Amino acid sequence: MANGCRGKVAPWRLKAAAAALAFFAVVGSLADASAQGQRQVQRPLPGGAPGLMAQPQSIVMRDVVVEGNQRIEASTIQSYLAAQPGEPFNEELADRSLKALFATGLFSDVNLRMQGNTLVVRVTENPVINRVVLEGNRRVTSETLNRELTLKPRQVYTRAKVQADTQRIQQIYRRSGRFAATVEPKVVQLPQNRVDLVFEIGEGPITTVGRIRFIGNRAYSDGALREQIQTKETVWWRFLSSDDNYDPDRVTFDREKLRKYYLSKGYADFRVANAVAELSPNRENFFITFTLDEGERYRLGKIDLTSELRNVDPQALRKLVELKTGDVYNADAVEKVVQVLTSELGRQGYAFVDVRPEVQKHREQKAIDVSFIIGESPRVYVERIDVVGNVRTLDKVIRREFRLVEGDAFNAAKLRRTRTRVRGLNFFDKAEIAETKGSAPDKVVLTAEVQERSTGELSFGVGYSTAEAVIGDVSIRERNLLGRGQDLRLGFSLSSRRQQVDLGFTEPYFLDRELAAGVDLLRRRTDLNRRSGYQQTTTSGTVRFGFPITEYLDDQVFYRLRLDEIDDIDPTQSRFIKGEEGSFTTSSIGNSLIYDRRDDKIEPTSGYIIKLSQELAGFGGTERFLRNVLQAGHYFPVTDEVIFNLSGETGQITSFGRRLRLPNRFFIGGDTFRGFATGGVGPRETVNDKAIGGQYYYVGTAEMTFPLGLPNDFGIRGRVFTDAGSAWGSGESGADVRDINSLRVSIGTGVSWKSPFGLIRLDLGFPLLKEEFDETEVFRINFGSRF
């Protein structure tokens, strides 16, 4: 029987055990309740702060006492509490109150405790910053650093903000290439709970790029790839550049430049697998390694063009696709075709046309098919023209430069021309014209967004040129008078060889028509003893008008009355110079036809300009002559930054019945013919070897300008050039005259710098062909400044 019950528990025994457990649980709970009735339990509050002596049930808070506050009112502190006097207060509300007070950032410590029915709030206030001091910064100005700091005088000091500002300062130094820079914040305690915050900066040396390596490149050498990226290895002659300073953002940009370079060479699968920058143990150099996966080289396969536009013939557009089957695939060339097609369709009135190049790779044949798909788009008309951003300039000054008006069919070529004309006003730092969809699919809104620049100038200039030595000038000018686009100028110039005062006014839209009208007054005293052996005083007044004949052809006409006085002639001068003494009057009318297709009037990179000028004197006065001058220039972009320029000019002057005076003749050299002095080419008298000018001349120039590998912000560009030309036909005869129309040629190089002191031009010209009596000048410099 006993064996049969082994492993089993009788039911009556289970019931007895359960009853015993219940009895002991009741006894234990009663004991706990009794103990809690005699004492309080302390629980720590979050953040390690001393806790509140909490009752098992909420206590009604009758009053609040604030201790330790110096600057902050007790009522302000009380406002952050989760409960107010007369309301129940427990541990949960205490926790919320602590969090709210710490979140203000005003306190470094907060303690809550209950004394009976009174809540005591004891605070320790964060100090107030008296001043922020930067020490040790020499390479980065305090002004630059202070702009980035969040902590300022009279703000509350917190450790978190100090750490954030420390990191900001380090980031500024890293952007300037100083990865070894250290920043140590220090606090100087002051009375009344104030502190001075001092950032001690150790700038350290510039962390340059010691070496750039490429892994995986088979088609192109390391040297060829280094030429494609902006980051450069440090060498002594890059002291004017920052490209050899390590910059993570620049390395990211270099990855994209490498990708674009390989895509332009047919490597459609190319990718930069990795770019690693390792800091040398001495923290002075970075070693950058690019890991490349070149992939295979592709050639162009089938080339197709389709159009979903009903009125556009794809066959007429195929001639714009300058791609051929079998050529190496070039992603840049494909993108250029998209731009050409978009521009042409924009000219036809399709403003929002979508030209999509679709490519299909054939890996086995190593070929890429390209299909240009022209998406459906309606012909668009200009619904409205808006002008925004102009505060001072009148709307009509901008609107009158638009080649499109409301209701016109959209034309991308006219829009580009408008953009060029608005920028050509030179009134704005920014001038963009955006296209947005109008109230209907076939309407477009054009918005001219401009950012005005200061157009008033009170300038004091100083400079030097080899032609005039030291130069000083003062001018007052307003290029946008009263916001109407009018130009008013009063100038004074003084140099060792020239003194001048002039006044000019131009109204670009006279009588609200495309007719520019202006007047110029001039008084000038010039010392020409070095060139021609005399001094000349000129007083003149000019009235001029200009108007467009076509979009790119302008005509300018003028009337000028000029009085010249020649004096201070040394008795030892030749008969040609002595014959000029005295005064004479020139009354003339002139005309200039200008055909300008340059992309920019100030710094052209493409296009051409042709100018034909004529001046006829004899409408009163003492002089009778006809002057003709033809000038032309063509600009060719070799690359985005290398510009080739071919230019030339020629002139001829004919006198009617009277001897042609020297001031009316042509003198070339100096800036017009580098390698020769001003007036150094052309007829000369043999007594004192003075230039007497010619009636004919021509000068041709071939010049290439290019960057010197320095940042564009420096404004430094180099150039190489060759000048060729001649001047002859003085109209004088005798053994004391040398007048030969032979060709003169010079070559040279130069540098231009848009410096803070003004534009500086330095040229070295070397004559290759010249006459023995020509006056040469190898070195020539011009610079000036405005303050």
Side-chain angles (χ1 to χ4, degrees):
M1 189 74 176
N3 292 339
C5 294
R6 182 176 296 174
K8 297 182 179 180
V9 180
W12 67 269
R13 292 183 178 180
L14 290 174
K15 293 180 179 179
L21 290 173
F23 173 78
F24 286 118
V26 170
V27 173
S29 63
L30 290 175
D32 284 346
S34 176
Q36 289 186 16
Q38 298 176 9
R39 59 184 174 86
Q40 296 174 326
V41 178
Q42 183 173 358
R43 295 183 179 90
L45 292 176
L52 173 72
M53 304 296 288
Q55 299 292 341
Q57 297 171 343
S58 299
I59 299 177
V60 176
M61 182 175 56
R62 299 300 181 186
D63 195 11
V64 177
V65 176
V66 178
E67 298 177 351
N69 57 314
Q70 300 179 24
R71 302 185 314 274
I72 305 170
E73 296 291 337
S75 59
T76 302
I77 297 175
Q78 184 177 341
S79 68
Y80 287 100
L81 299 177
Q84 299 300 319
E87 298 178 358
F89 194 77
N90 54 31
E91 185 174 351
E92 179 187 356
L93 296 177
D95 184 65
R96 288 166 51 190
S97 299
L98 281 173
K99 290 180 178 178
L101 288 169
F102 276 113
T104 63
L106 300 174
F107 311 104
S108 60
D109 190 22
V110 180
N111 181 279
L112 304 179
R113 71 177 187 276
M114 290 293 299
Q115 291 183 351
N117 290 335
T118 300
L119 175 65
V120 179
V121 182
R122 183 166 187 80
V123 297
T124 302
E125 295 179 350
N126 276 322
V128 173
I129 297 175
N130 178 57
R131 58 176 181 154
V132 179
V133 181
L134 299 167
E135 294 182 353
N137 58 308
R138 296 185 301 275
R139 302 296 181 179
V140 181
T141 65
S142 297
E143 180 182 0
T144 300
L145 295 175
N146 281 322
R147 283 200 300 264
E148 297 292 330
L149 297 180
T150 58
L151 287 173
K152 308 290 183 184
R154 294 182 297 280
Q155 290 186 351
V156 176
Y157 168 92
T158 65
R159 292 177 179 270
K161 289 184 178 181
V162 171
Q163 292 300 322
D165 281 350
T166 299
Q167 294 175 2
R168 283 190 179 91
I169 295 174
Q170 289 177 329
Q171 187 62 32
I172 292 173
Y173 275 96
R174 288 181 178 181
R175 287 201 300 263
S176 64
R178 297 180 182 271
F179 281 76
T182 60
V183 182
E184 184 177 355
K186 292 187 176 181
V187 176
V188 179
Q189 298 291 340
L190 299 175
Q192 300 177 351
N193 200 23
R194 295 176 302 123
V195 295
D196 282 345
L197 177 59
V198 181
F199 290 99
E200 292 186 354
I201 301 172
E203 295 184 318
I206 292 179
T207 312
T208 55
V209 177
R211 185 172 66 249
I212 301 175
R213 296 178 54 210
F214 298 90
I215 298 175
N217 53 313
R218 303 183 307 275
Y220 302 100
S221 66
D222 285 13
L225 295 180
R226 290 191 192 103
E227 292 295 324
Q228 303 305 317
I229 62 178
Q230 186 175 350
T231 303
K232 304 297 181 183
E233 293 180 349
T234 183
V235 289
W236 68 268
W237 48 266
R238 285 204 173 97
F239 62 94
L240 289 177
S241 172
S242 61
D243 288 346
D244 59 345
N245 297 345
Y246 174 70
D247 186 342
D249 294 335
R250 188 186 295 138
V251 172
T252 302
F253 178 64
D254 288 338
R255 295 178 63 144
E256 180 63 19
K257 294 198 71 173
L258 287 170
R259 189 187 71 85
K260 292 188 66 176
Y261 176 70
Y262 269 92
L263 285 177
S264 69
K265 300 298 183 181
Y267 294 88
D269 296 329
F270 171 83
R271 68 187 184 93
V272 179
N274 202 358
V276 178
E278 298 176 304
L279 186 60
S280 64
N282 61 5
R283 303 178 64 86
E284 293 182 359
N285 291 282
F286 271 97
F287 303 114
I288 302 176
T289 303
F290 293 94
T291 303
L292 312 180
D293 182 4
E294 291 183 331
E296 299 293 338
R297 193 180 196 187
Y298 289 81
R299 293 187 176 272
L300 287 171
K302 182 181 178 182
I303 301 172
D304 194 15
L305 187 149
T306 59
S307 173
E308 299 175 2
L309 300 178
R310 298 178 182 178
N311 299 324
V312 173
D313 181 11
Q315 298 300 324
L317 297 175
R318 286 184 180 274
K319 61 183 180 180
L320 300 177
V321 182
E322 297 181 351
L323 300 176
K324 296 181 180 179
T325 300
D327 288 350
V328 174
Y329 173 77
N330 187 336
D332 292 341
V334 173
E335 183 62 28
K336 183 178 179 182
V337 171
V338 172
Q339 294 175 1
V340 170
L341 292 174
T342 303
S343 177
E344 174 60 23
L345 292 168
R347 189 187 64 80
Q348 297 180 22
Y350 298 94
F352 303 106
V353 66
D354 180 23
V355 181
R356 306 186 308 275
E358 293 188 355
V359 298
Q360 184 177 2
K361 295 180 183 178
H362 302 283
R363 299 184 184 277
E364 294 181 359
Q365 294 81 14
K366 298 179 182 178
I368 294 179
D369 295 340
V370 181
S371 178
F372 297 95
I373 301 175
I374 302 173
E376 185 174 359
S377 174
R379 191 180 295 273
V380 177
Y381 298 87
V382 178
E383 178 181 13
R384 191 174 70 252
I385 296 176
D386 295 331
V387 179
V388 297
N390 55 316
V391 178
R392 182 165 171 268
T393 306
L394 301 180
D395 276 13
K396 72 173 186 178
V397 172
I398 302 172
R399 286 178 174 272
R400 65 195 184 192
E401 302 300 329
F402 270 71
R403 302 297 92 182
L404 292 165
V405 297
E406 284 89 345
D408 281 357
F410 177 82
N411 188 304
K414 289 184 177 180
L415 184 64
R416 287 194 301 272
R417 177 62 177 167
T418 297
R419 187 179 291 109
T420 300
R421 289 176 65 94
V422 173
R423 291 175 178 173
L425 292 173
N426 203 24
F427 298 161
F428 312 108
D429 286 324
K430 174 186 175 183
E432 298 293 341
I433 301 178
E435 312 156 33
T436 57
K437 293 184 179 181
S439 59
D442 63 342
K443 293 182 180 180
V444 62
V445 175
L446 302 180
T447 303
E449 184 178 353
V450 299
Q451 181 179 334
E452 292 183 324
R453 66 170 55 156
S454 175
T455 55
E457 300 174 2
L458 172 59
S459 59
F460 302 88
V462 62
Y464 174 84
S465 78
T466 48
E468 298 191 36
V470 178
I471 305 170
D473 67 74
V474 180
S475 66
I476 303 173
R477 185 181 184 186
E478 174 54 66
R479 294 182 289 105
N480 188 14
L481 187 65
L482 302 178
R484 300 176 179 273
Q486 299 166 335
D487 192 339
L488 177 64
R489 182 183 186 278
L490 174 62
F492 306 89
S493 297
L494 176 65
S495 72
S496 59
R497 296 172 188 163
R498 176 171 56 90
Q499 301 85 46
Q500 175 177 312
V501 57
D502 60 279
L503 173 68
F505 175 78
T506 301
E507 167 55 72
Y509 279 76
F510 186 59
L511 300 177
D512 286 331
R513 299 179 180 272
E514 285 194 273
L515 175 66
V519 60
D520 299 301
L521 301 175
L522 170 71
R523 173 76 174 184
R524 180 175 59 214
R525 174 75 171 175
T526 310
D527 183 356
L528 297 172
N529 276 304
R530 178 180 175 183
R531 189 194 75 181
S532 299
Y534 59 82
Q535 294 198 26
Q536 177 179 341
T537 302
T538 300
T539 305
S540 69
T542 304
V543 179
R544 47 187 166 77
F545 296 92
F547 54 91
I549 299 176
T550 67
E551 180 62 34
Y552 300 101
L553 179 63
D554 293 336
D555 191 13
Q556 298 177 356
V557 297
F558 68 86
Y559 170 76
R560 178 179 296 125
L561 180 62
R562 190 182 79 197
L563 172 65
D564 290 287
E565 300 178 53
I566 294 180
D567 54 22
D568 196 21
I569 299 178
D570 192 275
T572 62
Q573 296 294 341
S574 67
R575 58 188 176 93
F576 308 107
I577 308 301
K578 292 179 180 179
E580 296 297 321
E581 189 169 15
S583 61
F584 57 94
T585 305
T586 304
S587 176
S588 63
I589 60 172
N591 177 76
S592 295
L593 287 171
I594 305 171
Y595 189 69
D596 192 350
R597 295 302 302 266
R598 296 174 298 174
D599 62 339
D600 190 278
K601 292 183 178 181
I602 301 173
E603 294 182 350
T605 60
S606 64
Y608 58 91
I609 180 173
I610 302 173
K611 181 178 181 180
L612 175 62
S613 302
Q614 294 178 310
E615 182 180 5
L616 178 62
F619 300 89
T622 60
E623 305 305 301
R624 307 283 188 272
F625 63 80
L626 173 64
R627 183 199 308 269
N628 299 284
V629 175
L630 176 64
Q631 299 169 295
H634 201 151
Y635 298 85
F636 306 88
V638 180
T639 66
D640 290 340
E641 295 185 322
V642 179
I643 309 299
F644 181 66
N645 170 33
L646 279 176
S647 61
E649 59 180 287
T650 182
Q652 178 267 341
I653 184 169
T654 302
S655 179
F656 301 113
R658 298 185 181 182
R659 176 177 175 271
L660 187 66
R661 290 186 173 270
L662 265 63
N664 293 323
R665 298 178 186 178
F666 298 115
F667 295 85
I668 63 174
D671 292 331
T672 60
F673 200 152
R674 289 159 291 190
F676 295 88
T678 303
V681 175
R684 306 183 76 84
E685 51 86 17
T686 60
V687 176
N688 293 299
D689 196 29
K690 299 297 185 181
I692 57 176
Q695 300 181 61
Y696 310 92
Y697 85 99
Y698 66 90
V699 176
T701 296
E703 182 175 274
M704 182 176 292
T705 61
F706 48 85
L708 296 177
L710 303 175
N712 292 332
D713 293 343
F714 284 18
I716 300 178
R717 292 180 63 84
R719 61 178 173 273
V720 293
F721 61 84
T722 179
D723 293 340
S726 184
W728 71 96
S730 64
E732 312 290 354
S733 59
D736 52 354
V737 176
R738 289 176 288 187
D739 188 353
I740 301 175
N741 63 352
S742 61
L743 176 67
R744 280 80 155 180
V745 178
S746 68
I747 62 172
T749 184
V751 175
S752 297
W753 179 24
K754 293 181 180 178
S755 75
F757 309 102
L759 179 64
I760 297 177
R761 292 175 54 91
L762 185 149
D763 289 306
L764 295 175
F766 304 93
L768 297 181
L769 294 178
K770 68 182 187 68
E771 295 297 329
E772 60 179 1
F773 56 85
D774 290 337
E775 185 178 353
T776 62
E777 181 184 73
V778 174
F779 176 76
R780 188 171 187 83
I781 182 173
N782 290 278
F783 74 83
S785 179
R786 293 288 185 273
F787 306 98

